[in-house]
Amino acid sequence: MPKVSITTDYAARDAGIAINSYTTVLRRPRVPHDVFATYWRDVHGPLCSRIAGLGWYVQNHFDREHDAHLWPEVDGIAPFPDYELDGGVEIGFLSADDQGVFNAASSILFADEQNMFAATVAYALPDGSRTLVDRLPDPVPNGDDGIDRIHVHFGAAGTDAKAFGDFMSNFAETLAAEPAVLKLRLHLPQTYDNAEPAPPAPNVDHQVPPERTTIAVVEIAFETMTRRAFFETEAFRATIDAQKAHIAYATAFAVSGVYTYVRDKTLTIAGLRGSRAAQLIERLGANNQVADDVCDLIRTGSLT
């Protein structure tokens, strides 16, 4: 499968995710990163994937060592203070009924968070997220596909969440219209309320400072070696004054890998077997491992 399509936009395939959440994650400080990443991908990931009602589950792992020139510095827009993350997670549903089924069973998932996460913050997107463009053919990436991906977190300059959201929508549309942008997905969550911390995972911090209550997240992807040139284009530079008027904070995170466990209420091989096992199966071309009888055996413990 080619990494990029020059003729097809796959954005419409995400439209069925009617309800979504974007969760920021920070690993426990004494858990080595490789242990954290392995546990999140291959232990926590398949556990979450099996919970009924789930329609969409994607882990985006961030690279703390890669922060040079991820996003342009703009006078008047500061980085979020003391903001380190190890990833961002999307958990989505095709309907409110499905979300209710998931929520009723999710305590088994949240009990696992304390093993690896110091802090998680689930921003609610009751109207879903929005994919404006997607020229990446693979609907279920599982690893580093060589695409230059970043997640940029923006904080509102004022208290008017609607005005901020309207600006971010227009800003995202402007960026998505540029040929250099391979993918752009916009998350405009509800204002976070510390009085109702989410997710309700025990022994994990879910509080945010005031500047991180009203945010937007832009997931944006480029071909390698094109991102910095894009920031110098007239199209991007023409947005800077408007950015200053509406954005107070901006911090970008480099994505080291994207791992898809559930799409359209269907387990991927990563969701069924674990991310690294799925990579091994694909690398060796082990078609028998994805046959219906093997998948049924893994799911049910018996051969039909």
Side-chain angles (χ1 to χ4, degrees), residues 16 18 25-26 31 53 60 63 88 102 104 123 136 140 149 157 170 198 202 206 229 246 263 265 267 286:
V25 305
L26 176 69
V31 176
N60 296 276
D63 182 358
F102 176 88
Y123 290 92
L136 306 178
V140 289
R149 303 174 187 259
N170 291 331
H206 309 300
H246 293 90
R263 175 178 272 280
K265 295 185 72 171
L267 282 170

Side-chain angles (χ1 to χ4, degrees), residues 50 267 269 272-273 288-304:
R50 307 301 182 89
L267 282 170
I269 298 303
L272 184 65
R273 305 291 292 273
N288 64 298
Q289 290 284 351
V290 297
D292 289 344
D293 57 349
V294 173
C295 290
D296 285 344
L297 176 63
I298 299 297
R299 287 191 183 96
T300 68
S302 63
L303 287 170
T304 57

Side-chain angles (χ1 to χ4, degrees), residues 123-124 159 161 189-193 213-215:
Y123 290 92
T159 58
Q190 291 180 329
T191 297
Y192 189 81
D193 185 356
T213 57
T214 302
I215 70 164

Side-chain angles (χ1 to χ4, degrees), residues 213-244:
T213 57
T214 302
I215 70 164
V217 177
V218 172
E219 171 191 341
I220 188 167
F222 302 90
E223 291 258 35
T224 303
M225 301 294 291
T226 65
R227 170 169 39 88
R228 290 177 65 180
F230 172 75
F231 295 145
E232 296 300 323
T233 63
E234 174 118 2
F236 183 84
R237 297 189 66 80
T239 70
I240 288 177
D241 285 344
Q243 289 186 55
K244 292 179 182 181

Side-chain angles (χ1 to χ4, degrees), residues 14-36:
D14 296 341
I17 309 161
I19 300 167
N20 202 22
S21 65
Y22 183 97
T23 301
T24 61
V25 305
L26 176 69
R27 64 181 166 90
R28 297 184 70 85
R30 294 189 179 182
V31 176
H33 183 267
D34 60 336
V35 175
F36 159 79

Side-chain angles (χ1 to χ4, degrees), residues 174-222:
T174 298
L175 300 183
E178 293 302 306
V181 176
L182 300 181
K183 179 177 181 180
L184 193 146
R185 183 157 166 80
L186 173 66
H187 309 284
L188 281 176
Q190 291 180 329
T191 297
Y192 189 81
D193 185 356
N194 282 321
E196 297 183 8
N203 304 314
V204 179
D205 185 16
H206 309 300
Q207 300 289 303
V208 301
E211 66 271 14
R212 299 209 316 258
T213 57
T214 302
I215 70 164
V217 177
V218 172
E219 171 191 341
I220 188 167
F222 302 90

